[in-house]
Amino acid sequence: MRPAAAAATATAAALRLRLRLRSAAASLSPPATALLTHRRAALLLPPLRRLCSPAPPRASAAPDSQPPPGLLSPVMDAQFESFRSQLDESSTLRDRIRTVVSEIESASRVATAALLLVHQPVPLEDVLGKAKAQVEVIKGLYAQLAEVLKECPGQYYRYHGDWKSETQVVVSMLAFMHWLETGGLLMHAEAQEKLGLSSGEFCLDVEDYLTGLCFMSNEFPRFVVNRVTAGDYDCPRKVLSFLTDLHASFRMLNLRNDFLRKKFDGMKYDLRRVEEVYYDVKIRGLAPAESKQEASQS
């Protein structure tokens, strides 16, 4: 056979085989084709759904994951019931304390306002008389506060912060009044007696007393200036002598870096301002004769 005839025969055989394959594929039934499509979709759609669909919300804790009230530990239940009772009692007691303390604050504010008249040309007896009337009211209120604290013995410092600042202001007022009357320092025992705090657990805290003295020193610079303006040129010497001794006494204490230490640091500025007034009076020759004699002897 010739080569050309052999090539034509092979080409014809390949065409016949391709036609047979096409006819076989066309002879497949539609259900079989749909089955193949469904299988392909089953393999491809689940991964696509997982990628495209949002993450499902996390399941919340089952309602029955917590034990019912009847299954709580009896020991734990009793403990927290005791805590609840103690906190309720403490809150009620603190509300009663704050009611009395607010009245103390109001009375001390009235007394301080009356005491401010000492900077004006008003007789000292009238000024002290109005302030002393409020001191008696404050003393009665501290007695009420002591009665309230008897219901919680041994817990003085637990509630002490509720009346601490008010007590410091009261001590400052009492110490200034005492100096106006006597020219000396109000002692701790005397302050307790004036407030009716001499007996029992309810007493005057030492830090409150010392802080009150620091507050008192803030009144002297203004008082000295007003007294000199009124013609009392010996007042700066008296105040300077008193503040110098008080400042030296405070320096004996080992005060930490707290509120009391800051108040004590402010006392030196009050002392400096009084010194300036005293030196001005002395340089101008306005000091009384006895003051000059005492200065020469010292």
Side-chain angles (χ1 to χ4, degrees):
M1 184 181 293
R2 294 179 179 181
T9 303
T11 302
L15 289 175
R16 286 194 297 271
L17 178 61
R18 185 177 297 178
L19 289 175
R20 289 177 183 178
L21 290 176
R22 287 181 179 179
S23 61
S27 64
L28 288 175
S29 60
T33 306
L35 180 62
L36 290 175
T37 305
H38 178 71
R39 288 180 178 178
R40 291 177 181 174
L43 293 174
L44 294 175
L45 288 180
L48 291 176
R49 287 174 182 173
R50 284 196 298 268
L51 291 174
C52 299
S53 61
R58 295 183 179 180
S60 59
D64 54 343
S65 61
Q66 298 180 357
L71 298 180
L72 292 176
S73 172
V75 177
M76 186 183 301
D77 191 18
Q79 173 182 267
F80 280 87
E81 179 65 24
S82 175
F83 290 163
R84 184 190 65 80
S85 177
Q86 292 177 13
L87 292 175
D88 291 344
E89 293 177 359
S90 176
S91 178
T92 302
L93 184 63
R94 196 178 294 276
D95 291 340
R96 295 172 58 190
I97 291 175
R98 289 174 178 172
T99 300
V100 180
V101 171
S102 64
E103 297 180 7
I104 293 176
E105 180 184 7
S106 178
S108 65
R109 191 161 49 244
V110 174
T112 302
L115 200 59
L116 288 176
L117 295 176
V118 75
H119 301 291
Q120 304 297 327
V122 180
L124 183 60
E125 294 77 10
D126 297 342
V127 175
L128 295 178
K130 295 179 180 179
K132 286 181 179 179
Q134 294 300 319
V135 171
E136 293 299 323
V137 175
I138 294 174
K139 183 177 181 180
L141 292 173
Y142 272 103
Q144 296 180 20
L145 189 58
E147 290 296 327
V148 174
L149 288 177
K150 286 182 180 180
E151 301 179 10
C152 54
Q155 301 186 33
Y156 172 84
Y157 285 102
R158 179 180 180 182
Y159 303 100
H160 173 241
D162 292 332
W163 66 83
K164 182 176 182 178
S165 59
E166 288 77 10
T167 302
Q168 294 169 358
V169 174
V170 170
V171 171
S172 172
M173 177 189 62
L174 292 176
F176 188 49
M177 291 172 57
H178 184 81
W179 184 89
L180 291 174
E181 290 181 310
T182 65
L185 176 65
L186 177 69
M187 307 304 290
H188 180 265
E190 295 174 340
Q192 283 197 133
E193 185 178 357
K194 288 181 179 293
L195 296 177
L197 305 178
S198 303
S199 60
E201 181 183 0
F202 188 59
C203 60
L204 177 59
D205 185 74
V206 175
E207 289 192 8
D208 293 345
Y209 167 75
L210 295 175
T211 305
L213 295 183
C214 294
F215 286 158
M216 174 199 61
S217 71
N218 302 148
E219 296 291 334
F220 282 115
R222 180 187 177 191
F223 177 73
V224 166
V225 172
N226 291 328
R227 293 308 301 168
V228 170
T229 304
D232 186 3
Y233 301 117
D234 194 37
C235 180
R237 178 190 62 84
K238 296 178 181 178
V239 174
L240 179 60
S241 176
F242 173 74
L243 276 184
T244 301
D245 294 342
L246 182 61
H247 186 266
S249 299
F250 262 90
R251 293 183 65 87
M252 297 172 59
L253 305 176
N254 184 18
L255 300 177
R256 300 183 181 273
N257 190 19
D258 55 3
F259 181 75
L260 178 57
R261 178 55 185 263
K262 294 178 181 178
K263 294 290 102 180
F264 166 65
D265 291 340
M267 186 185 297
K268 63 183 178 183
Y269 298 106
D270 299 329
L271 180 60
R272 184 179 303 173
R273 292 172 61 188
V274 173
E275 285 178 344
E276 292 174 355
V277 176
Y278 173 69
Y279 291 149
D280 288 343
V281 171
K282 187 175 181 181
I283 289 174
R284 287 172 172 78
L286 299 176
E290 55 270 16
S291 299
K292 294 180 180 179
Q293 183 178 0
E294 291 178 1
S296 62
Q297 290 178 355
S298 60

